[in-house]
Amino acid sequence: MDLNRPDVKRELDRELAGLRFGNRQNVLERTHPNSLPGRLRAWWNKELELPVVPIGAALLLLLTAAFLYRAALYPKGPLPGSETAFKRELVEEAGSVYWKDDLERRLALLENPGQN
Amino acid sequence: MKIRVKIKHLAYGAGLLLAVILAVAVMAKPPQNMAGAGQTGAEAKEQVLRKIAAAGAEEKLKLIEEYMLKDDSADLSRAYDMYIESTGMMYGGGVVDVAKKPVFSLDEKLPYLEQYAAEGKPGPELAAAAKLLSYHYQGEGQQEKAAKVLAEARKRLHSSTAVYASNELLLMQAQLAAGQKQYDTLLKLCAEIIDRNAANDDILVRMSELLAQYAIEKGEVPQTLELLRSDLEQKSSRMTSGQAVQIQKEELRGITDRLKKIASGRPAGLTDVSGTIAKANGEPLAYAGVFLRRDDDLNHSMAGFEPYQTITNEKGEYAFKGVVPGRYKLYLGVNASQLNGWTWPEQRDGGWIDLNGQQAAVENVTFQPLLELREPVNNAIVKDSSIAFAWEPVQGAAYYNLSVGIKLKSGSTSRVVRRGISVPEVRIQADDLYYEYTGISGFSEGSGQLTIDPLSLLGYANTDNQMTWDVAAYDAGGRMLTRSGGYRLDERLTDRLPFFYLKAREMTEADRTLLSGDLKKAEAMYRADYRKDPDDAHSLHMIIRLLQGTMMLEGKGAGEAEESLLAEQTRLLRQLVKLHPAAWYYDMLAQQAFDRADWDEYRRYDELAAALDTSEDTGYRDGTRAIAFMRQQKWDEAAASFQKSLENDPSHRFIGAYIALTIARGSPLETAAALAEKYPDRMSYSGPIHWDELLLAMKREAAGQDGYFQTLRQRAGLYVRGGEAGGERSSSSSPAMNRFFEQLKQVK
């Protein structure tokens, strides 16, 4: 539609004659906010341009660090409800009854030249 | 590369991430230390009790279930960590659930169990709560309350859905009634049991045990029991195999024998057995399991169907009412922490409890503090020609016995190497230990082929093998006071481990070859060494050991080959005793002379062995001598030796042969039965042999059979002279007599 054509222009003017733009203030507030809410809304909707690689790398580092920290804090604790973690075995040696893990640890602590 | 993003979207994303992290953290919390490290049991218990107190009604019952009623808590044959007897052996699987949850004593559980019994949902836990309460009331002497709690719980259980639980309660009720001699109640309960369990033989067998109590007390067999027996007998003849069936068959035989005993007018009365289980410092073993086990049951692991099971009260006291005559042993169920640092000293008679109708029997158990060893410990290496053993003195000890053990491929072996040591130290010559006897053991590898364990052949002469030792202290009367072997379940008790290596000698090439498993090559090397040096006692000893091993593998009766092996062994042994005289070499020579019926030589070597033997227990030697006299038809000497053996040897292993001798000499069966009852056979070959019952069975069999006693005497005469009195002369009309001679083959 060619608005330079006088008949078209005239027709359009006639049809739009009843319309009045009454929101000028609002538009101005949005584009050039002066009040606090307006400024906040502008900031909330502000677009940032972020470099993917450095930020991704930083996030990965952070996650790894968090995982390591947690692992160091709770060294291989038994899983709750894990049955085997609570079983201990009794053994009999030289007429005495020992905890098997206890005895093995003791024997490992002693130098054992008899076996070399 | 860059992305464009609004601040608000960034913020939403961050919020979402935070929420996810929080959720994960809550769901996978690090292990909570309910009863774990850093928190004492008392704290954990306190925590649970607070939790129960704070919970609503329904939740409360759930928590009681979870913390106080799970894991077979009322099945005494499974509820404890360890099942032990007076020989101190650990009994059971050996794998223990450690403090997954705090362990409450029966006393601590009491109010909660009472609440559960009153309000808990009908199910196995309700039955468990009632049973535990009943044990508790019984321990306090409140028998009526004990019966009531069972009856009420059973009323609340739906017998159709909780069959097992309901039966358990019913049986326990019947057991209580039998113990209280309330026989009307007992019969009523039994009728109910039969009504509900017509097809459940296990329950019926357990019940018949209770009816036997009634029968013995009243001197008459209740009709129910007679019916039951014939029913079981019919079923049993249709059964096939399996351990359960085997046990049941034995049970049935037990019931049948008992009924016959009652019928033949020898009903010994019932006995109340009671006692206190405590530590020497006076601390009672509260809420421990107590099991009076019949000799028939000792060959299998602890089972729920065994009739005499209970719990000690808080003072460590227990009681069994109305125990049927028989031979029993006391076993205890304990938790690992209960006996740490203590030992149950072995009893001289092996801990047997014979009930022959006496009114009451008291069996107390006192645990003693462990004897502590000084040296050699912690894998010390001994290179001197003698080893100095030292231990802490025990108050009141008249003497000590020292045992030394070695590891084998499967398990270990230990022997008393010095007896009657009067001070808490002793020096043993390494050479004496090197020639110490070890039983030859075999093991089978994947192929199933039996191989001789080289560790058992080289025995104490193996300088690479870890040795263990232990000491027991005795009073002047020969009663064991305490010993080093016991429950050592914390750090404080494991800082002096009784392990050492004896490296006074150098192992030879032949020894190394033997240990590598090449026995043939090792034997050739030992022979070469011995040829080089006729004074080489070790090589000679090892050749004899290897010959022993070969004979063990090939078995007796290998004919000529065996004879030539034996001849060579005898020749070598005669050389060896010149170089290194030891009791067991002479014993081997004596045994070989015995097998050849060369009685002069047997006596000579037997006397030489006896002179070197330090063991006080001459029961085996006397018994073997008695059999030798028997074979020579020297009846009086044989009888005297048997008597000596039986007095000395608590296992009475030769009683069967002695009975055969008295029968062969014409004594009536009653005399033999009296002997059998006086000296019960404790040698459990493949199950106990009840000679008294066999003799009674023979007496019954004799009635109405002409010439029965004549045949019996003839067969016994053949046996005592050394002939085969078993199979070929057996007669189908005398199964009891056949069984008697069959069992005699096991006496040796």
PDB file of all heavy atoms in Angstrom, chain A residues 44-50 52 83 86-88 90 96-97 105, chain B residues 1-8 94 96-98 100 486 488 491:
ATOM      1  N   TRP A  44      16.372  -6.042  35.679  1.00  0.00           N
ATOM      2  CA  TRP A  44      15.899  -7.435  35.689  1.00  0.00           C
ATOM      3  C   TRP A  44      15.869  -8.002  34.281  1.00  0.00           C
ATOM      4  O   TRP A  44      16.137  -9.169  34.059  1.00  0.00           O
ATOM      5  CB  TRP A  44      14.529  -7.447  36.359  1.00  0.00           C
ATOM      6  CG  TRP A  44      13.938  -8.806  36.687  1.00  0.00           C
ATOM      7  CD1 TRP A  44      12.723  -9.243  36.312  1.00  0.00           C
ATOM      8  CD2 TRP A  44      14.514  -9.855  37.446  1.00  0.00           C
ATOM      9  NE1 TRP A  44      12.492 -10.485  36.784  1.00  0.00           N
ATOM     10  CE2 TRP A  44      13.602 -10.915  37.497  1.00  0.00           C
ATOM     11  CE3 TRP A  44      15.754 -10.005  38.091  1.00  0.00           C
ATOM     12  CZ2 TRP A  44      13.845 -12.096  38.157  1.00  0.00           C
ATOM     13  CZ3 TRP A  44      15.978 -11.197  38.755  1.00  0.00           C
ATOM     14  CH2 TRP A  44      15.038 -12.226  38.790  1.00  0.00           C
ATOM     15  N   ASN A  45      15.476  -7.092  33.341  1.00  0.00           N
ATOM     16  CA  ASN A  45      15.344  -7.541  31.956  1.00  0.00           C
ATOM     17  C   ASN A  45      16.546  -7.252  31.097  1.00  0.00           C
ATOM     18  O   ASN A  45      16.520  -7.435  29.897  1.00  0.00           O
ATOM     19  CB  ASN A  45      14.100  -6.919  31.334  1.00  0.00           C
ATOM     20  CG  ASN A  45      12.842  -7.604  31.853  1.00  0.00           C
ATOM     21  OD1 ASN A  45      12.676  -8.798  31.696  1.00  0.00           O
ATOM     22  ND2 ASN A  45      12.002  -6.843  32.539  1.00  0.00           N
ATOM     23  N   LYS A  46      17.593  -6.817  31.757  1.00  0.00           N
ATOM     24  CA  LYS A  46      18.790  -6.450  31.016  1.00  0.00           C
ATOM     25  C   LYS A  46      19.413  -7.697  30.399  1.00  0.00           C
ATOM     26  O   LYS A  46      19.416  -8.774  30.998  1.00  0.00           O
ATOM     27  CB  LYS A  46      19.792  -5.824  31.984  1.00  0.00           C
ATOM     28  CG  LYS A  46      20.978  -5.205  31.294  1.00  0.00           C
ATOM     29  CD  LYS A  46      21.817  -4.461  32.308  1.00  0.00           C
ATOM     30  CE  LYS A  46      23.099  -3.991  31.666  1.00  0.00           C
ATOM     31  NZ  LYS A  46      23.905  -3.257  32.640  1.00  0.00           N
ATOM     32  N   GLU A  47      19.904  -7.554  29.169  1.00  0.00           N
ATOM     33  CA  GLU A  47      20.538  -8.704  28.532  1.00  0.00           C
ATOM     34  C   GLU A  47      22.031  -8.656  28.725  1.00  0.00           C
ATOM     35  O   GLU A  47      22.647  -7.600  28.596  1.00  0.00           O
ATOM     36  CB  GLU A  47      20.203  -8.697  27.041  1.00  0.00           C
ATOM     37  CG  GLU A  47      18.959  -9.479  26.762  1.00  0.00           C
ATOM     38  CD  GLU A  47      18.738  -9.692  25.273  1.00  0.00           C
ATOM     39  OE1 GLU A  47      19.529  -9.175  24.494  1.00  0.00           O
ATOM     40  OE2 GLU A  47      17.779 -10.387  24.942  1.00  0.00           O
ATOM     41  N   LEU A  48      22.577  -9.825  29.102  1.00  0.00           N
ATOM     42  CA  LEU A  48      24.032  -9.903  29.264  1.00  0.00           C
ATOM     43  C   LEU A  48      24.601 -10.715  28.138  1.00  0.00           C
ATOM     44  O   LEU A  48      23.953 -11.624  27.619  1.00  0.00           O
ATOM     45  CB  LEU A  48      24.380 -10.595  30.585  1.00  0.00           C
ATOM     46  CG  LEU A  48      23.929  -9.911  31.885  1.00  0.00           C
ATOM     47  CD1 LEU A  48      24.280 -10.784  33.069  1.00  0.00           C
ATOM     48  CD2 LEU A  48      24.587  -8.554  32.014  1.00  0.00           C
ATOM     49  N   GLU A  49      25.809 -10.443  27.812  1.00  0.00           N
ATOM     50  CA  GLU A  49      26.475 -11.242  26.804  1.00  0.00           C
ATOM     51  C   GLU A  49      27.612 -11.977  27.500  1.00  0.00           C
ATOM     52  O   GLU A  49      28.532 -11.354  28.026  1.00  0.00           O
ATOM     53  CB  GLU A  49      27.034 -10.327  25.715  1.00  0.00           C
ATOM     54  CG  GLU A  49      26.880 -10.939  24.353  1.00  0.00           C
ATOM     55  CD  GLU A  49      27.211  -9.946  23.255  1.00  0.00           C
ATOM     56  OE1 GLU A  49      28.379  -9.547  23.196  1.00  0.00           O
ATOM     57  OE2 GLU A  49      26.284  -9.590  22.496  1.00  0.00           O
ATOM     58  N   LEU A  50      27.473 -13.314  27.585  1.00  0.00           N
ATOM     59  CA  LEU A  50      28.441 -14.064  28.406  1.00  0.00           C
ATOM     60  C   LEU A  50      29.333 -14.936  27.539  1.00  0.00           C
ATOM     61  O   LEU A  50      28.841 -15.633  26.650  1.00  0.00           O
ATOM     62  CB  LEU A  50      27.705 -14.967  29.396  1.00  0.00           C
ATOM     63  CG  LEU A  50      26.753 -14.262  30.365  1.00  0.00           C
ATOM     64  CD1 LEU A  50      25.983 -15.294  31.182  1.00  0.00           C
ATOM     65  CD2 LEU A  50      27.524 -13.327  31.285  1.00  0.00           C
ATOM     66  N   VAL A  52      31.037 -18.253  26.803  1.00  0.00           N
ATOM     67  CA  VAL A  52      30.700 -19.612  27.245  1.00  0.00           C
ATOM     68  C   VAL A  52      31.891 -20.343  27.853  1.00  0.00           C
ATOM     69  O   VAL A  52      31.801 -20.925  28.932  1.00  0.00           O
ATOM     70  CB  VAL A  52      30.135 -20.426  26.063  1.00  0.00           C
ATOM     71  CG1 VAL A  52      29.927 -21.876  26.462  1.00  0.00           C
ATOM     72  CG2 VAL A  52      28.830 -19.811  25.618  1.00  0.00           C
ATOM     73  N   GLU A  83      24.136 -53.787  54.494  1.00  0.00           N
ATOM     74  CA  GLU A  83      24.206 -54.851  55.491  1.00  0.00           C
ATOM     75  C   GLU A  83      25.644 -55.248  55.780  1.00  0.00           C
ATOM     76  O   GLU A  83      26.067 -55.333  56.917  1.00  0.00           O
ATOM     77  CB  GLU A  83      23.436 -56.080  54.992  1.00  0.00           C
ATOM     78  CG  GLU A  83      21.941 -55.886  54.961  1.00  0.00           C
ATOM     79  CD  GLU A  83      21.323 -55.803  56.336  1.00  0.00           C
ATOM     80  OE1 GLU A  83      21.688 -56.615  57.193  1.00  0.00           O
ATOM     81  OE2 GLU A  83      20.496 -54.912  56.555  1.00  0.00           O
ATOM     82  N   PHE A  86      28.378 -53.873  58.326  1.00  0.00           N
ATOM     83  CA  PHE A  86      28.319 -54.029  59.772  1.00  0.00           C
ATOM     84  C   PHE A  86      28.639 -55.442  60.239  1.00  0.00           C
ATOM     85  O   PHE A  86      28.517 -55.747  61.394  1.00  0.00           O
ATOM     86  CB  PHE A  86      26.935 -53.617  60.282  1.00  0.00           C
ATOM     87  CG  PHE A  86      26.649 -52.163  60.095  1.00  0.00           C
ATOM     88  CD1 PHE A  86      26.040 -51.725  58.945  1.00  0.00           C
ATOM     89  CD2 PHE A  86      27.033 -51.234  61.048  1.00  0.00           C
ATOM     90  CE1 PHE A  86      25.789 -50.389  58.746  1.00  0.00           C
ATOM     91  CE2 PHE A  86      26.781 -49.890  60.862  1.00  0.00           C
ATOM     92  CZ  PHE A  86      26.164 -49.464  59.701  1.00  0.00           C
ATOM     93  N   LYS A  87      29.037 -56.279  59.305  1.00  0.00           N
ATOM     94  CA  LYS A  87      29.340 -57.648  59.693  1.00  0.00           C
ATOM     95  C   LYS A  87      30.808 -57.750  60.098  1.00  0.00           C
ATOM     96  O   LYS A  87      31.677 -57.205  59.447  1.00  0.00           O
ATOM     97  CB  LYS A  87      29.089 -58.601  58.521  1.00  0.00           C
ATOM     98  CG  LYS A  87      27.659 -58.576  58.047  1.00  0.00           C
ATOM     99  CD  LYS A  87      26.892 -59.770  58.514  1.00  0.00           C
ATOM    100  CE  LYS A  87      25.572 -59.858  57.790  1.00  0.00           C
ATOM    101  NZ  LYS A  87      24.487 -60.175  58.675  1.00  0.00           N
ATOM    102  N   ARG A  88      31.065 -58.459  61.198  1.00  0.00           N
ATOM    103  CA  ARG A  88      32.429 -58.741  61.594  1.00  0.00           C
ATOM    104  C   ARG A  88      32.528 -60.236  61.798  1.00  0.00           C
ATOM    105  O   ARG A  88      31.586 -60.878  62.226  1.00  0.00           O
ATOM    106  CB  ARG A  88      32.782 -58.028  62.890  1.00  0.00           C
ATOM    107  CG  ARG A  88      33.096 -56.576  62.732  1.00  0.00           C
ATOM    108  CD  ARG A  88      33.516 -55.974  64.044  1.00  0.00           C
ATOM    109  NE  ARG A  88      34.967 -55.929  64.167  1.00  0.00           N
ATOM    110  CZ  ARG A  88      35.581 -55.462  65.259  1.00  0.00           C
ATOM    111  NH1 ARG A  88      34.871 -55.052  66.286  1.00  0.00           N
ATOM    112  NH2 ARG A  88      36.883 -55.425  65.324  1.00  0.00           N
ATOM    113  N   LEU A  90      34.305 -63.627  63.536  1.00  0.00           N
ATOM    114  CA  LEU A  90      35.067 -64.137  64.670  1.00  0.00           C
ATOM    115  C   LEU A  90      35.953 -65.274  64.193  1.00  0.00           C
ATOM    116  O   LEU A  90      35.524 -66.087  63.383  1.00  0.00           O
ATOM    117  CB  LEU A  90      34.113 -64.658  65.745  1.00  0.00           C
ATOM    118  CG  LEU A  90      33.248 -63.625  66.464  1.00  0.00           C
ATOM    119  CD1 LEU A  90      32.117 -64.313  67.208  1.00  0.00           C
ATOM    120  CD2 LEU A  90      34.073 -62.780  67.413  1.00  0.00           C
ATOM    121  N   SER A  96      41.916 -68.988  71.464  1.00  0.00           N
ATOM    122  CA  SER A  96      41.212 -67.748  71.760  1.00  0.00           C
ATOM    123  C   SER A  96      40.328 -67.333  70.592  1.00  0.00           C
ATOM    124  O   SER A  96      40.601 -67.691  69.451  1.00  0.00           O
ATOM    125  CB  SER A  96      42.205 -66.624  72.046  1.00  0.00           C
ATOM    126  OG  SER A  96      42.671 -66.725  73.367  1.00  0.00           O
ATOM    127  N   VAL A  97      39.304 -66.572  70.913  1.00  0.00           N
ATOM    128  CA  VAL A  97      38.413 -66.052  69.878  1.00  0.00           C
ATOM    129  C   VAL A  97      38.725 -64.574  69.681  1.00  0.00           C
ATOM    130  O   VAL A  97      38.778 -63.814  70.647  1.00  0.00           O
ATOM    131  CB  VAL A  97      36.938 -66.248  70.287  1.00  0.00           C
ATOM    132  CG1 VAL A  97      36.010 -65.611  69.277  1.00  0.00           C
ATOM    133  CG2 VAL A  97      36.639 -67.726  70.434  1.00  0.00           C
ATOM    134  N   ARG A 105      44.873 -56.991  61.454  1.00  0.00           N
ATOM    135  CA  ARG A 105      45.539 -55.693  61.539  1.00  0.00           C
ATOM    136  C   ARG A 105      46.752 -55.771  62.471  1.00  0.00           C
ATOM    137  O   ARG A 105      47.827 -55.304  62.148  1.00  0.00           O
ATOM    138  CB  ARG A 105      44.548 -54.643  62.050  1.00  0.00           C
ATOM    139  CG  ARG A 105      44.921 -53.229  61.667  1.00  0.00           C
ATOM    140  CD  ARG A 105      43.956 -52.199  62.202  1.00  0.00           C
ATOM    141  NE  ARG A 105      43.731 -52.342  63.619  1.00  0.00           N
ATOM    142  CZ  ARG A 105      42.539 -52.578  64.148  1.00  0.00           C
ATOM    143  NH1 ARG A 105      41.487 -52.714  63.371  1.00  0.00           N
ATOM    144  NH2 ARG A 105      42.393 -52.689  65.453  1.00  0.00           N
TER     145      ARG A 105
ATOM    146  N   MET B   1      32.977 -17.873  21.604  1.00  0.00           N
ATOM    147  CA  MET B   1      31.528 -18.069  21.560  1.00  0.00           C
ATOM    148  C   MET B   1      30.875 -17.377  22.751  1.00  0.00           C
ATOM    149  O   MET B   1      31.359 -17.460  23.859  1.00  0.00           O
ATOM    150  CB  MET B   1      31.215 -19.565  21.602  1.00  0.00           C
ATOM    151  CG  MET B   1      29.792 -19.867  21.232  1.00  0.00           C
ATOM    152  SD  MET B   1      29.534 -21.620  20.942  1.00  0.00           S
ATOM    153  CE  MET B   1      29.692 -22.272  22.568  1.00  0.00           C
ATOM    154  N   LYS B   2      29.784 -16.682  22.435  1.00  0.00           N
ATOM    155  CA  LYS B   2      29.098 -15.987  23.529  1.00  0.00           C
ATOM    156  C   LYS B   2      27.614 -16.312  23.483  1.00  0.00           C
ATOM    157  O   LYS B   2      27.078 -16.669  22.434  1.00  0.00           O
ATOM    158  CB  LYS B   2      29.287 -14.476  23.373  1.00  0.00           C
ATOM    159  CG  LYS B   2      30.698 -14.055  23.719  1.00  0.00           C
ATOM    160  CD  LYS B   2      30.849 -12.570  23.630  1.00  0.00           C
ATOM    161  CE  LYS B   2      32.228 -12.175  24.092  1.00  0.00           C
ATOM    162  NZ  LYS B   2      32.476 -10.748  23.950  1.00  0.00           N
ATOM    163  N   ILE B   3      26.976 -16.216  24.639  1.00  0.00           N
ATOM    164  CA  ILE B   3      25.517 -16.349  24.646  1.00  0.00           C
ATOM    165  C   ILE B   3      24.930 -15.091  25.249  1.00  0.00           C
ATOM    166  O   ILE B   3      25.552 -14.430  26.080  1.00  0.00           O
ATOM    167  CB  ILE B   3      25.042 -17.588  25.447  1.00  0.00           C
ATOM    168  CG1 ILE B   3      25.732 -17.625  26.831  1.00  0.00           C
ATOM    169  CG2 ILE B   3      25.273 -18.865  24.691  1.00  0.00           C
ATOM    170  CD1 ILE B   3      25.099 -18.576  27.792  1.00  0.00           C
ATOM    171  N   ARG B   4      23.717 -14.777  24.813  1.00  0.00           N
ATOM    172  CA  ARG B   4      23.015 -13.624  25.397  1.00  0.00           C
ATOM    173  C   ARG B   4      21.950 -14.146  26.320  1.00  0.00           C
ATOM    174  O   ARG B   4      21.173 -15.040  25.955  1.00  0.00           O
ATOM    175  CB  ARG B   4      22.385 -12.772  24.285  1.00  0.00           C
ATOM    176  CG  ARG B   4      23.405 -12.128  23.367  1.00  0.00           C
ATOM    177  CD  ARG B   4      22.706 -11.557  22.162  1.00  0.00           C
ATOM    178  NE  ARG B   4      21.931 -10.371  22.531  1.00  0.00           N
ATOM    179  CZ  ARG B   4      22.398  -9.112  22.439  1.00  0.00           C
ATOM    180  NH1 ARG B   4      23.646  -8.904  22.028  1.00  0.00           N
ATOM    181  NH2 ARG B   4      21.655  -8.080  22.772  1.00  0.00           N
ATOM    182  N   VAL B   5      21.910 -13.604  27.513  1.00  0.00           N
ATOM    183  CA  VAL B   5      20.952 -14.090  28.478  1.00  0.00           C
ATOM    184  C   VAL B   5      20.512 -12.945  29.373  1.00  0.00           C
ATOM    185  O   VAL B   5      21.303 -12.076  29.725  1.00  0.00           O
ATOM    186  CB  VAL B   5      21.540 -15.260  29.280  1.00  0.00           C
ATOM    187  CG1 VAL B   5      22.787 -14.862  30.033  1.00  0.00           C
ATOM    188  CG2 VAL B   5      20.502 -15.841  30.239  1.00  0.00           C
ATOM    189  N   LYS B   6      19.227 -12.886  29.660  1.00  0.00           N
ATOM    190  CA  LYS B   6      18.707 -11.855  30.554  1.00  0.00           C
ATOM    191  C   LYS B   6      19.072 -12.202  31.990  1.00  0.00           C
ATOM    192  O   LYS B   6      19.144 -13.390  32.352  1.00  0.00           O
ATOM    193  CB  LYS B   6      17.184 -11.761  30.438  1.00  0.00           C
ATOM    194  CG  LYS B   6      16.726 -11.046  29.192  1.00  0.00           C
ATOM    195  CD  LYS B   6      15.238 -10.827  29.253  1.00  0.00           C
ATOM    196  CE  LYS B   6      14.791 -10.007  28.044  1.00  0.00           C
ATOM    197  NZ  LYS B   6      13.337  -9.818  28.045  1.00  0.00           N
ATOM    198  N   ILE B   7      19.228 -11.159  32.775  1.00  0.00           N
ATOM    199  CA  ILE B   7      19.583 -11.379  34.180  1.00  0.00           C
ATOM    200  C   ILE B   7      18.531 -12.243  34.872  1.00  0.00           C
ATOM    201  O   ILE B   7      18.838 -13.136  35.640  1.00  0.00           O
ATOM    202  CB  ILE B   7      19.763 -10.029  34.911  1.00  0.00           C
ATOM    203  CG1 ILE B   7      21.102  -9.455  34.503  1.00  0.00           C
ATOM    204  CG2 ILE B   7      19.696 -10.228  36.428  1.00  0.00           C
ATOM    205  CD1 ILE B   7      21.492  -8.187  35.205  1.00  0.00           C
ATOM    206  N   LYS B   8      17.244 -11.991  34.517  1.00  0.00           N
ATOM    207  CA  LYS B   8      16.200 -12.730  35.223  1.00  0.00           C
ATOM    208  C   LYS B   8      16.273 -14.226  34.910  1.00  0.00           C
ATOM    209  O   LYS B   8      16.080 -15.064  35.783  1.00  0.00           O
ATOM    210  CB  LYS B   8      14.813 -12.161  34.923  1.00  0.00           C
ATOM    211  CG  LYS B   8      14.304 -12.338  33.523  1.00  0.00           C
ATOM    212  CD  LYS B   8      12.874 -11.814  33.451  1.00  0.00           C
ATOM    213  CE  LYS B   8      12.345 -11.853  32.024  1.00  0.00           C
ATOM    214  NZ  LYS B   8      11.097 -11.084  31.924  1.00  0.00           N
ATOM    215  N   GLY B  94      30.069 -67.591  63.150  1.00  0.00           N
ATOM    216  CA  GLY B  94      31.227 -66.741  63.407  1.00  0.00           C
ATOM    217  C   GLY B  94      31.115 -65.371  62.773  1.00  0.00           C
ATOM    218  O   GLY B  94      31.962 -64.521  62.977  1.00  0.00           O
ATOM    219  N   VAL B  96      29.231 -61.888  62.730  1.00  0.00           N
ATOM    220  CA  VAL B  96      28.425 -61.199  63.718  1.00  0.00           C
ATOM    221  C   VAL B  96      27.952 -59.853  63.175  1.00  0.00           C
ATOM    222  O   VAL B  96      28.725 -59.120  62.576  1.00  0.00           O
ATOM    223  CB  VAL B  96      29.265 -60.973  64.994  1.00  0.00           C
ATOM    224  CG1 VAL B  96      28.524 -60.101  65.970  1.00  0.00           C
ATOM    225  CG2 VAL B  96      29.629 -62.300  65.633  1.00  0.00           C
ATOM    226  N   ASP B  97      26.707 -59.558  63.386  1.00  0.00           N
ATOM    227  CA  ASP B  97      26.173 -58.246  63.044  1.00  0.00           C
ATOM    228  C   ASP B  97      26.550 -57.301  64.163  1.00  0.00           C
ATOM    229  O   ASP B  97      26.102 -57.474  65.285  1.00  0.00           O
ATOM    230  CB  ASP B  97      24.636 -58.335  63.002  1.00  0.00           C
ATOM    231  CG  ASP B  97      24.132 -58.313  61.594  1.00  0.00           C
ATOM    232  OD1 ASP B  97      24.727 -57.575  60.790  1.00  0.00           O
ATOM    233  OD2 ASP B  97      23.165 -59.023  61.308  1.00  0.00           O
ATOM    234  N   VAL B  98      27.401 -56.343  63.868  1.00  0.00           N
ATOM    235  CA  VAL B  98      27.871 -55.507  64.962  1.00  0.00           C
ATOM    236  C   VAL B  98      27.079 -54.214  65.052  1.00  0.00           C
ATOM    237  O   VAL B  98      27.114 -53.394  64.151  1.00  0.00           O
ATOM    238  CB  VAL B  98      29.354 -55.158  64.781  1.00  0.00           C
ATOM    239  CG1 VAL B  98      29.901 -54.653  66.089  1.00  0.00           C
ATOM    240  CG2 VAL B  98      30.114 -56.353  64.322  1.00  0.00           C
ATOM    241  N   LYS B 100      24.505 -52.603  64.510  1.00  0.00           N
ATOM    242  CA  LYS B 100      23.847 -51.841  63.469  1.00  0.00           C
ATOM    243  C   LYS B 100      22.806 -50.954  64.130  1.00  0.00           C
ATOM    244  O   LYS B 100      22.601 -49.816  63.748  1.00  0.00           O
ATOM    245  CB  LYS B 100      23.184 -52.816  62.490  1.00  0.00           C
ATOM    246  CG  LYS B 100      22.744 -52.187  61.218  1.00  0.00           C
ATOM    247  CD  LYS B 100      22.546 -53.228  60.141  1.00  0.00           C
ATOM    248  CE  LYS B 100      21.603 -54.308  60.621  1.00  0.00           C
ATOM    249  NZ  LYS B 100      21.420 -55.385  59.674  1.00  0.00           N
ATOM    250  N   GLY B 486      40.569 -67.715  75.340  1.00  0.00           N
ATOM    251  CA  GLY B 486      39.248 -67.234  75.729  1.00  0.00           C
ATOM    252  C   GLY B 486      38.793 -66.167  74.757  1.00  0.00           C
ATOM    253  O   GLY B 486      39.193 -66.170  73.599  1.00  0.00           O
ATOM    254  N   ARG B 488      38.939 -62.695  73.308  1.00  0.00           N
ATOM    255  CA  ARG B 488      39.834 -61.539  73.229  1.00  0.00           C
ATOM    256  C   ARG B 488      39.326 -60.632  72.110  1.00  0.00           C
ATOM    257  O   ARG B 488      39.765 -60.710  70.983  1.00  0.00           O
ATOM    258  CB  ARG B 488      41.268 -62.005  72.950  1.00  0.00           C
ATOM    259  CG  ARG B 488      41.841 -62.834  74.094  1.00  0.00           C
ATOM    260  CD  ARG B 488      43.233 -63.340  73.794  1.00  0.00           C
ATOM    261  NE  ARG B 488      43.770 -64.070  74.934  1.00  0.00           N
ATOM    262  CZ  ARG B 488      44.401 -63.499  75.959  1.00  0.00           C
ATOM    263  NH1 ARG B 488      44.629 -62.211  75.951  1.00  0.00           N
ATOM    264  NH2 ARG B 488      44.830 -64.230  76.969  1.00  0.00           N
ATOM    265  N   GLU B 491      41.387 -54.341  71.721  1.00  0.00           N
ATOM    266  CA  GLU B 491      42.807 -54.038  71.530  1.00  0.00           C
ATOM    267  C   GLU B 491      43.650 -54.438  72.747  1.00  0.00           C
ATOM    268  O   GLU B 491      44.721 -54.996  72.619  1.00  0.00           O
ATOM    269  CB  GLU B 491      42.969 -52.531  71.332  1.00  0.00           C
ATOM    270  CG  GLU B 491      42.132 -51.989  70.201  1.00  0.00           C
ATOM    271  CD  GLU B 491      42.972 -51.704  68.987  1.00  0.00           C
ATOM    272  OE1 GLU B 491      44.052 -51.132  69.170  1.00  0.00           O
ATOM    273  OE2 GLU B 491      42.562 -52.086  67.878  1.00  0.00           O
TER     274      GLU B 491
END
